[in-house]
């Protein structure tokens, strides 16, 4: 049973990854459509890893900042119930706490787009505080640089 579940998990993550490739190639509409179909299958109560990953990327396909915020909030909500053991079955090198800086940064950016600077600053501070969990690698450096950029942007406003 476990093997069948892990194969199913891998299939969902593969399908999310395929839609992410479309997104990164510039086909936001098709990526959004595929993410939408996957979300219908996963549902609000589905596997937290699937919900977190899909919602995180679905946010990037949105044209409306309010919709982007809603998807980023879904991603954070799923991360809050996602355990390290479940995440490790997908990627043993990743811990849930390592996801928070990026998730919180996305929320800060959403609030900035919605002209809600207080909420943006609050989430940016949470992202900064969580960033000590990031490694000294390209991903960690990129998230820390994005935190600094948003901080400069909010300071000018």
């Amino acid at each position: 049973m476990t093997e069948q579940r892990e194969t199913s998990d891998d299939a969902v993550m593969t399908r999310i990854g395929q839609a992410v490739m479309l997104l990164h190639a510039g086909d936001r509409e098709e990526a959004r459509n595929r993410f939408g179909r996957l979300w219908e299958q996963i549902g609000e109560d589905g596997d937290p890893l699937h919900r977190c990953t899909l919602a995180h990327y679905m946010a990037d396909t949105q044209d409306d900042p309010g919709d982007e915020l809603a998807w980023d909030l879904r991603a954070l909500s799923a991360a809050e119930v996602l355990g390290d053991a479940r995440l490790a079955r997908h990627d043993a090198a990743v811990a849930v706490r390592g996801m928070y800086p990026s998730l919180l940064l996305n929320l800060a950016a959403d609030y900035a787009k919605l002209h809600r600077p207080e909420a943006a600053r609050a989430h940016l501070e949470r992202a900064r505080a969580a960033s000590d969990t990031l490694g000294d690698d390209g991903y960690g450096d990129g998230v820390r640089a994005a935190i600094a950029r948003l901080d400069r942007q909010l300071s000018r406003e």
Side-chain angles (χ1 to χ4, degrees):
M1 181 68 174
T2 301
E3 184 177 326
Q4 182 180 12
R5 180 182 169 108
E6 288 179 9
T7 301
S8 175
D9 288 346
D10 290 345
V12 171
M13 293 303 287
T14 297
R15 291 176 61 202
I16 292 171
Q18 290 167 340
V20 169
M21 286 190 285
L22 287 168
L23 175 62
H24 290 166
D27 194 347
R28 290 176 71 227
E29 183 176 350
E30 181 59 25
R32 182 174 41 240
N33 292 338
R34 288 189 187 196
F35 288 140
R37 287 191 298 273
L38 274 169
W39 187 261
E40 288 173 5
Q41 293 170 6
I42 294 169
E44 292 283 335
D45 297 319
D47 183 316
L49 175 61
H50 297 159
R51 289 185 292 126
C52 181
T53 306
L54 190 148
H56 174 70
Y57 287 108
M58 179 64 123
D60 294 339
T61 69
Q62 301 305 303
D63 297 323
D64 179 86
D67 293 338
E68 185 174 1
L69 173 63
W71 283 106
D72 280 330
L73 287 168
R74 285 182 185 104
L76 181 63
S77 176
E80 289 171 346
V81 296
L82 175 62
D84 282 332
R86 170 62 185 101
L87 186 57
R89 286 198 327 259
H90 175 68
D91 186 347
V94 179
V96 173
R97 67 185 178 280
M99 299 167 62
Y100 278 97
S102 176
L103 295 171
L104 293 165
L105 173 63
N106 288 347
L107 288 169
D110 295 341
Y111 285 118
K113 290 176 194 172
L114 290 166
H115 307 288
R116 295 177 57 190
E118 297 82 19
R121 285 186 186 90
H123 282 83
L124 185 62
E125 286 309 312
R126 289 180 65 200
R128 183 178 285 113
S131 69
D132 65 348
T133 63
L134 295 170
D136 290 327
D137 55 18
Y139 175 76
D141 293 344
V143 172
R144 283 187 288 272
I147 289 170
R149 278 192 306 274
L150 185 56
D151 187 35
R152 285 190 301 273
Q153 176 190 332
L154 291 173
S155 295
R156 289 189 300 262
E157 295 178 2

